[in-house]
């Protein structure tokens, strides 16, 4: 696990990073290192937890594990439930909504700003994977809809297309590329995202994510 040059990443024009804290299968081995180094570089930080659970009860257990991984840290961006695994595709939409509610409310009860990360097909009503309108009204969405399958530089700009993104003018955050590259990091690609809310101000004003006694 090679440490990233987070100062160079920030100087390239990146404002924030959402780090993988772990998953149902265990902690991410580089989370602690990346959190420390990204913070020292002056980047705003959020985190996500990839869930493999299949029931509302397991979603609560996942959320509690996530809380243990992030305890004692401060985050300027939301703490996300990453809900997209193919093994969960055929869980009834109503049950998946309950899983989201259980996971995010467990985080909220612990003083965290919770959100949901998921992709285009899960959020498309015609596929009936999620109760889309219920979920959108429930919490902030970090929405993955890749605009380019090619390698993307950090200084390449993209524009949110409302007609191509389920009719929503904006979600909280948009993942527009999954082959993002930096010219100073060889043989690695990154997910690139735009945030549409001033999350650091919102979270600090609400005294969430560790910004409270």
């Amino acid at each position: 696990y090679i440490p990233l040059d987070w100062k160079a990443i920030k100087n390239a024009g990146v404002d924030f990073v959402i780090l993988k804290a772990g998953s149902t299968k265990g902690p991410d081995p580089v989370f602690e290192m990346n959190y420390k180094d990204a913070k020292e570089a002056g980047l705003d930080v959020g985190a996500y937890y990839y869930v493999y659970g299949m029931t509302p009860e397991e979603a609560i257990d996942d959320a509690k594990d996530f809380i243990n991984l992030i305890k004692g840290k401060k985050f300027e961006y939301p703490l996300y439930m990453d809900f997209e695994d193919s093994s969960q595709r055929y869980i009834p939409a109503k049950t998946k909504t309950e899983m989201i509610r259980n996971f995010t409310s467990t985080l909220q009860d612990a003083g965290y700003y919770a959100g949901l990360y998921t992709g285009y097909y899960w959020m498309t009503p015609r596929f009936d994977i999620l109760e889309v309108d219920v979920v959108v009204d429930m919490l902030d969405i970090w929405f993955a809809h890749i605009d380019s399958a090619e390698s993307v530089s950090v200084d390449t700009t993209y524009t949110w297309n409302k007609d191509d993104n389920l009719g929503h003018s904006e979600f909280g955050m948009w993942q527009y590329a999954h082959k993002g590259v930096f010219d100073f990091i060889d043989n690695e690609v990154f997910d690139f995202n735009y945030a549409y809310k001033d999350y650091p101000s919102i979270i600090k004003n609400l005294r969430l994510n560790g910004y409270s006694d």
Side-chain angles (χ1 to χ4, degrees), residues 79-198:
L79 287 304
Y80 291 97
M81 176 189 192
D82 186 342
F83 198 17
E84 57 173 322
D85 197 72
S86 59
S87 66
Q88 301 157 326
R89 167 67 175 83
Y90 296 104
I91 298 172
K94 186 178 182 65
T95 302
K96 283 201 279 287
T97 300
E98 187 177 354
M99 291 171 68
I100 294 167
R101 194 186 309 276
N102 282 1
F103 186 100
T104 57
S105 64
T106 300
L107 287 177
Q108 289 166 347
D109 289 346
Y112 294 102
Y113 193 115
L116 173 71
Y117 170 89
T118 197
Y120 178 79
Y121 291 101
W122 279 53
M123 293 294 293
T124 303
R126 69 176 180 272
F127 294 111
D128 194 30
I129 298 177
L130 281 181
E131 294 181 312
V132 175
D133 290 340
V134 176
V135 172
V136 169
D137 288 342
M138 190 189 307
L139 75 170
D140 282 12
I141 306 296
W142 174 14
F143 181 61
H145 189 193
I146 305 306
D147 206 312
S148 173
E150 304 301 321
S151 296
V152 174
S153 166
V154 71
D155 55 4
T156 305
T157 58
Y158 289 85
T159 301
W160 182 266
N161 182 350
K162 180 178 177 180
D163 293 334
D164 197 31
N165 289 288
L166 313 183
H168 295 283
S169 58
E170 291 174 359
F171 287 119
M173 194 154 66
W174 173 33
Q175 184 182 106
Y176 64 91
H178 61 186
K179 292 183 180 179
V181 296
F182 298 98
D183 58 13
F184 50 85
I185 301 177
D186 295 329
N187 303 316
E188 294 289 345
V189 294
F190 301 85
D191 295 329
F192 284 171
N193 306 272
Y194 292 130
Y196 294 102
K197 296 184 179 182
D198 182 1

Side-chain angles (χ1 to χ4, degrees), residues 21-47:
S23 74
T24 308
K25 297 181 180 181
D28 186 274
V30 293
F31 173 56
E32 295 289 342
M33 176 178 68
N34 284 336
Y35 175 85
K36 175 179 177 292
D37 292 349
K39 283 281 192 173
E40 288 179 353
L43 285 160
D44 290 326
V45 177

Side-chain angles (χ1 to χ4, degrees), residues 6-27:
W6 287 105
K7 289 183 179 179
I9 290 172
K10 179 176 172 58
N11 290 338
V14 174
D15 300 305
F16 67 93
V17 57
I18 312 297
L19 301 173
K20 183 178 181 180
S23 74
T24 308
K25 297 181 180 181

Side-chain angles (χ1 to χ4, degrees), residues 31-32 64-75 112:
F31 173 56
E32 295 289 342
K64 289 179 178 178
D65 287 342
F66 189 17
I67 290 168
N68 285 333
L69 292 174
I70 60 179
K71 193 174 296 182
K73 297 178 172 59
K74 292 183 176 180
F75 298 92
Y112 294 102

